[in-house]
Amino acid sequence: MALQEIIRTLIVETPSKPGNFAKVATAIGVAGGDIGDITIIKDGTLSTIRDISVKCKNLEQLDQVIENVRAISEDVHIHAVTDDVLKAHEGGKIHMKSRIDVRSLGDLRRIYTPGVASVCLDIQEDPDKARYFTSIGNTVAIVTDGTAILGLGNIGPVAGMPVMEGKAVLFDQFAGISGIPILLDTSDIDSVVETIKHIHQGFGAILLEDIGSPHCFEIEERLKKELPIPVMHDDQHGTAVVALASVLSACRATGVDPKGAVIGQIGLGAAGLAICRMLMAYGVDNVYGIDRQQEALDRLISYGGQTLSSLEEIMATCDIVVATTGVAGLIKPSMVRPGQIILALSNPNPEITPEDALAAGAAYAADGRLVNNAIGFPGIFRGALDAGASEITYPMLVAAAQAIFNHTKPGDLIPNPLDPSVHQVVARAVELAATKQK
């Protein structure tokens, strides 16, 4: 059987002189690489940058291709070797684009000087008009300090930029919102809060993203008190909304009354604590949590939750167990009680696999692959902006979770996040809940 060939794209910069690309092509050919598509992505006076698709028999041959190209001269640079995922990120995933065509002097005068002056004066007289005559009312700042990126940990804000761009893409595609990434080079609570306070006037809302625990709690709480626009930490409340919807779906599948159930939360980081608070906001009376950090336990108690002493006690006591620890295999099959609902949500490796949980007697089990924040935050912010809300409250979040649950087909845990209609129903539910609070 022939080995599967691999295709990579080399991003190569060469001096803008005849013959330099021929040297690159020769170097690739000598190593046995097969050149495919070639795209010039920068044609400068001094240098040219090309995307060069290369097919190789194996990784060893690819390594030889790279070595040969780099050996040509110090003026030839390989900026990156990309695969399909990296290719999709080249140049970034977002782009700010004008909604107005400027094709005449009349157009220019209307959108810029002198016509724009009258709009500026209208807004000066009545600042609320900025919601209608600028993009502010439809723009969300996506703010990160890079300390808790996608389970990768503290890799820094610049390394986290692809995630922020991904959020912006989902905002645009699912809710028609302009998401603007903001990368902070500090995690100092006072500095983060002050920075966001100083820039908030350019945005209709603030989405805090991938900010680690425990400083994420104080940052969000202070901003919600001090800013007149919605602020939400998605790793907390976006996750909690989808988790609540998942619990409701699991209860429907098993005939369990969620409000009368005893629910245990394993791990009280940003997501875990928020899930507890969401369950209590929904009306669950018996919510228990465990964590290795006393500070996390104290925080849960301060919000009205209860604690237990150990993992074993949680498993022995609770009808529904939700886990967000990031510790693969933490829940042993021997701990599972017959009839339990177990949602082990850590990615990529859950605390217990659904297969093992079901084999041990669980009535329902799922892992984090199905519980995706993307189904929540676009509609939540769309609804908040449409309502002109000054904050995102628990009634709004519970309404979002209920809308997701109501839109879930029997047998599914949550709807497909690519279904545009689910984001629309979430937005309508959040807007209605916000309007009722006014």
Side-chain angles (χ1 to χ4, degrees):
M1 181 182 297
L3 294 176
Q4 183 178 2
E5 295 176 323
I6 60 173
I7 299 175
R8 296 290 186 268
T9 298
L10 309 186
I11 303 177
V12 181
E13 182 173 6
T14 61
S16 295
K17 295 178 181 179
N20 278 284
F21 176 69
K23 295 177 183 178
V24 173
T26 299
I28 294 171
V30 167
D34 184 14
I35 295 177
D37 293 336
I38 302 168
T39 303
I40 295 177
I41 58 178
K42 174 193 170 187
D43 190 5
T45 303
L46 299 178
S47 67
T48 302
I49 300 178
R50 294 176 175 87
D51 274 358
I52 306 171
S53 177
V54 179
K55 181 166 62 177
C56 297
K57 294 179 180 179
N58 49 52
L59 290 174
E60 290 75 15
Q61 189 176 72
L62 175 64
D63 289 341
Q64 188 61 56
V65 166
I66 294 169
E67 182 179 338
N68 285 8
V69 173
R70 285 177 171 160
I72 293 171
S73 78
E74 61 182 17
D75 295 325
V76 175
H77 304 286
I78 296 179
H79 289 290
V81 180
T82 72
D83 57 18
D84 288 345
V85 173
L86 290 172
K87 183 71 175 175
H89 288 73
E90 285 180 18
K93 302 189 292 289
I94 58 175
H95 170 70
M96 183 174 287
K97 185 176 181 181
S98 168
R99 297 177 62 240
I100 303 293
D101 286 333
V102 180
R103 300 184 180 276
S104 68
L105 287 175
D107 293 338
L108 181 61
R109 289 166 181 162
R110 276 190 294 275
I111 66 101
Y112 195 48
T113 186
V116 74
S118 63
V119 185
C120 294
L121 292 174
D122 277 353
I123 294 172
Q124 182 187 29
E125 184 176 339
D126 182 2
D128 286 344
K129 288 185 177 180
R131 288 179 49 83
Y132 306 101
F133 296 128
T134 76
S135 63
I136 290 174
N138 197 51
T139 303
V140 173
I142 306 169
V143 183
T144 189
D145 67 349
T147 54
I149 301 294
L150 267 188
L152 300 173
N154 186 0
I155 63 173
V158 176
M161 181 62 167
V163 179
M164 308 310 119
E165 288 190 342
K167 287 282 192 185
V169 170
L170 298 176
F171 263 136
D172 177 54
Q173 183 165 332
F174 295 140
I177 292 171
S178 296
I180 307 297
I182 304 292
L183 308 183
L184 302 180
D185 63 355
T186 178
S187 296
D188 176 75
I189 292 174
D190 290 335
S191 297
V192 170
V193 170
E194 286 304 308
T195 298
I196 296 174
K197 285 172 63 177
H198 284 305
I199 68 171
H200 84 274
Q201 292 188 25
F203 303 96
I206 305 293
L207 172 66
L208 302 175
E209 176 67 15
D210 291 344
I211 297 176
S213 173
H215 65 290
C216 63
F217 300 116
E218 184 176 345
I219 288 171
E220 185 194 44
E221 289 169 2
R222 286 177 56 179
L223 288 172
K224 290 181 72 170
K225 289 179 182 178
E226 299 178 34
L227 294 185
I229 59 175
V231 177
M232 188 182 89
H233 184 206
D234 191 47
D235 297 308
Q236 290 186 63
H237 310 298
T239 300
V241 162
V242 183
L244 174 57
S246 301
V247 168
L248 297 180
S249 294
C251 287
R252 177 171 61 186
T254 55
V256 172
D257 173 14
K259 292 185 179 180
V262 179
I263 303 182
Q265 170 64 44
I266 304 172
L268 296 173
L273 182 67
I275 290 170
C276 289
R277 297 179 69 186
M278 187 69 64
L279 290 166
M280 291 186 287
Y282 178 72
V284 179
D285 291 327
N286 295 305
V287 177
Y288 294 91
I290 59 167
D291 195 278
R292 291 178 298 178
Q293 302 296 324
Q294 184 61 44
E295 181 183 2
L297 297 171
D298 293 342
R299 191 175 286 113
L300 174 60
I301 293 170
S302 73
Y303 288 127
Q306 306 170 72
T307 63
L308 292 174
S309 60
S310 67
L311 172 63
E312 289 76 13
E313 191 175 4
I314 281 276
M315 296 301 298
T317 303
C318 298
D319 307 309
I320 302 170
V321 175
V322 183
T324 56
T325 65
V327 181
L330 178 68
I331 300 174
K332 307 305 178 188
S334 60
M335 300 177 179
V336 177
R337 279 196 301 114
Q340 274 183 318
I341 294 171
I342 298 180
L343 302 178
L345 303 183
S346 293
N347 267 323
N349 300 307
E351 288 80 2
I352 185 171
T353 66
E355 295 79 12
D356 286 346
L358 292 171
Y364 192 99
D367 58 25
R369 291 174 297 178
L370 298 176
V371 181
N372 193 324
N373 300 40
I375 206 168
F377 73 86
I380 293 170
F381 277 87
R382 178 76 277 160
L385 292 173
D386 288 348
S390 60
E391 61 179 332
I392 294 174
T393 64
Y394 272 101
M396 294 161 69
L397 295 172
V398 170
Q402 188 74 55
I404 293 171
F405 165 64
N406 290 340
H407 203 70
T408 302
K409 297 177 183 178
D412 290 343
L413 189 65
I414 60 172
N416 187 331
L418 299 181
D419 176 6
S421 63
V422 69
H423 302 284
Q424 295 169 9
V425 300
V426 169
R428 286 196 295 268
V430 170
E431 181 181 7
L432 180 61
T435 302
K436 288 180 178 179
Q437 294 175 175
K438 289 185 176 181

